Amino acid sequence: GQGVDEPLSATGFRQAEAAGLFLSNVKFTHVFSSDLLRAKQTAATILGKNKFCKDLEIKYDARLRERKYGVAEGRPLTDLKAMAKAAGEQCPSFTPSGGETLDEVRERARDFFEFLCRLAVELEQKEPDRQGAASRGSAGSEEQFVFPWTNHCSEAELGSDNGGAPKILDANILVVSHGAYMRNWIGYFVSDLDCTLPTNMTKSHLSSVSPNTGISHFIIKLENGNFLKPEITCVCLNQDSHL
């Protein structure tokens, strides 16, 4: 939850370092993190392992905080389940006294996602011609966005136009948040925005909470700068091979 703002444990730091090594060749343009300490430390550790982005500013946003669990915060998960059972409900839909409802969490996620889309649209408007050139730093265009679970930049990611020249992404954003929050965000992508999922993905994948430092990768296309109707493709969900 939000009320217990503990630092990462030794295991948490090892997991963050593993995620950082896994993503070390990915050149991010922006990094956003929850303003809770465990997420801030995770984001800083990931960037510390990155070959391109060690000095990139991390922006902290309260909209990325974990779901608020009210009276259940700081207590074992078994206590939350017992509270839900006593109320005749089940986790995760149960809301403890003083906690956030799932709709309230999803509203935070929607608000933050629309903020990201506006950011990407503004970037495109500032730099409309980005084909084929290494517009940021010294890395060549082929090195700009190397995702470890794809063969460099797949056609699905960067697209191809102007005679086959690769299109550099307008933004490549790392977001560090929390398990219950991300599950709600992904639910918003799928139910409200018709996110395209990998063919082998089941509903149980969508309802499960990501493992610590689990990585999900989404490609967002905004046709004609319309951030209210994004085209979203899920490349992978809760990826944890680095662990």
Side-chain angles (χ1 to χ4, degrees), residues 136-187:
R136 295 188 181 91
S138 59
S141 59
E142 294 152 1
E143 299 174 312
Q144 290 242 354
F145 305 102
V146 182
F147 296 100
W149 48 83
T150 59
N151 182 15
H152 289 266
C153 298
S154 70
E155 185 175 341
E157 283 166 37
L158 295 189
S160 178
D161 47 28
N162 284 0
K167 183 181 186 302
I168 297 172
L169 297 173
D170 293 311
N172 192 30
I173 303 171
L174 173 67
V175 177
V176 180
S177 187
H178 307 268
Y181 177 89
M182 291 302 301
R183 177 170 58 187
N184 279 269
W185 190 351
I186 292 164

Side-chain angles (χ1 to χ4, degrees), residues 201-219:
M201 189 174 293
T202 65
K203 287 188 176 180
S204 63
H205 286 113
L206 292 173
S207 61
S208 61
V209 173
S210 174
N212 287 343
T213 67
I215 297 168
S216 297
H217 177 195
F218 296 91
I219 301 162

